[in-house]
Amino acid sequence: MVRDGYFYALALIAAAALLGGLTRPAWAIIPCLLAIFFLWFFRDPERAIPQDAGAVVSPGDGKVTDVSTVTVGNQRQMRVSIFLSVFDVHVNRSPIAGVVREVRYQRGKFLNAMNSVSVDKNEQNVVTVEGDGRTVVFKQIAGLLARRIVFTPKLGDRLERGQRVGLIKFGSRVDVLLDGSARMNVKIGDRVKGGASVVAYLQPQGAPMAAGSAPAHERAH
C-alpha cells in the first residue's frame, strides 16, 4: 500500500464520523465508500521481476495503446505507450537497471491520456536511465484526472529493473522510448503489469537488428 492511501482514507473516515455524528449515520456511507476506494486505488502489489538478459519491463500497469517507430532528434527509436485507467495499479517502476542520468519535469495540459497529442502537450516527467551501455527513456504523463506525478529517485541514483520509482494519481499514461534495434514483445491491446511484463528486449551492442523487430508502421515524432 502506498502511504498516500492511508492519508486519504483516514481523512475520509474522520469526515464520515463527523457527518454521522452531526447529522444521520446514513450520511457517513459515502465517505466510508470513498475511503475503501482510496485504500484499493493505492495498492502496491509485489511483482516477480524478469531476469532475462536485455529485458525491458513495463513501467506501469495498463493497456498498450501504441507500439511504433518514432524519430527523436535524428535518432530512430521504438515507443511503447501504456494507458493506466483509474482501475489500474498506479505505482511506476524502472524499466531497466541503470543510473538516472536525467529527470526533466514538463508543465503542460491535462488532456485525455488516450489522445495522441498528450505525449507532447500534457504535464509529464521525463526520466532517462542508462545501464549496460544502453539508454532508455520513460515518461510519466498526466491524464484528464491525474493532477500529481511522483518520482522519488534523484539524479545519479542507481535503479534496479522493476524497482518502484513513483506513481501518477488517478488515470494517466506511461511511455517507454527504446533504441531502434529493440525487439518488441507487446502489441496494441495487450494488458501489461508494471515490473512484471516484458515490453521489449534490447539487443546486445553491435548486434544486427533482428528480422521483424520493427513494427509494420512508422510514424515521425
Side-chain angles (χ1 to χ4, degrees):
M1 173 71 66
V2 178
R3 65 178 184 176
D4 298 51
Y6 295 117
F7 297 148
Y8 282 107
L10 288 173
L12 286 163
I13 290 171
L18 186 63
L19 282 172
L22 297 178
T23 59
R24 293 187 299 176
W27 286 103
I29 294 176
I30 293 178
C32 281
L33 290 175
L34 286 173
I36 293 171
F37 167 76
F38 280 116
L39 288 173
W40 172 78
F41 178 85
F42 285 102
R43 64 198 184 279
D44 184 12
E46 294 293 333
R47 296 282 165 79
I49 311 301
Q51 300 301 313
D52 306 7
V56 179
V57 298
S58 175
D61 288 35
K63 182 179 180 180
V64 177
T65 57
D66 183 46
V67 179
S68 60
T69 304
V70 298
T71 301
V72 181
N74 295 319
Q75 292 187 331
R76 175 180 173 276
Q77 295 184 326
M78 305 301 299
R79 180 175 70 193
V80 180
S81 299
I82 300 159
F83 176 73
L84 289 69
S85 77
V86 72
F87 301 108
D88 289 309
V89 173
H90 273 57
V91 174
N92 298 146
R93 294 171 179 265
S94 176
I96 64 169
V99 177
V100 179
R101 295 302 186 192
E102 183 181 15
V103 180
R104 178 170 55 86
Y105 196 85
Q106 173 184 309
R107 295 194 176 278
K109 299 181 179 180
F110 295 94
L111 303 174
N112 188 328
M114 292 286 285
N115 192 322
S116 60
V117 301
S118 67
V119 67
D120 296 315
K121 302 293 186 181
N122 277 21
E123 189 151 324
Q124 58 191 268
N125 195 51
V126 184
V127 181
T128 301
V129 181
E130 182 183 4
D132 295 329
R134 294 291 190 177
T135 298
V136 171
V137 175
F138 70 97
K139 300 182 178 183
Q140 299 169 287
I141 304 173
L144 189 64
L145 297 177
R147 285 297 185 272
R148 188 183 176 200
I149 297 173
V150 178
F151 183 76
T152 54
K154 302 293 189 297
L155 199 65
D157 283 357
R158 169 78 187 184
L159 303 178
E160 297 303 322
R161 180 191 296 159
Q163 178 179 328
R164 296 172 176 87
V165 294
L167 76 158
I168 318 173
K169 296 182 180 179
F170 311 122
S172 49
R173 167 179 170 173
V174 288
D175 279 10
V176 186
L177 291 167
L178 310 162
D179 184 85
S181 64
R183 177 165 58 88
M184 307 312 295
N185 196 53
V186 292
K187 62 184 183 301
I188 294 174
D190 285 353
R191 298 285 307 181
V192 292
K193 292 185 176 182
S197 299
V198 178
V199 298
Y201 289 94
L202 296 176
Q203 302 297 317
Q205 286 190 310
M209 183 185 297
S213 61
H217 62 286
E218 296 191 359
R219 182 166 68 236
H221 172 64

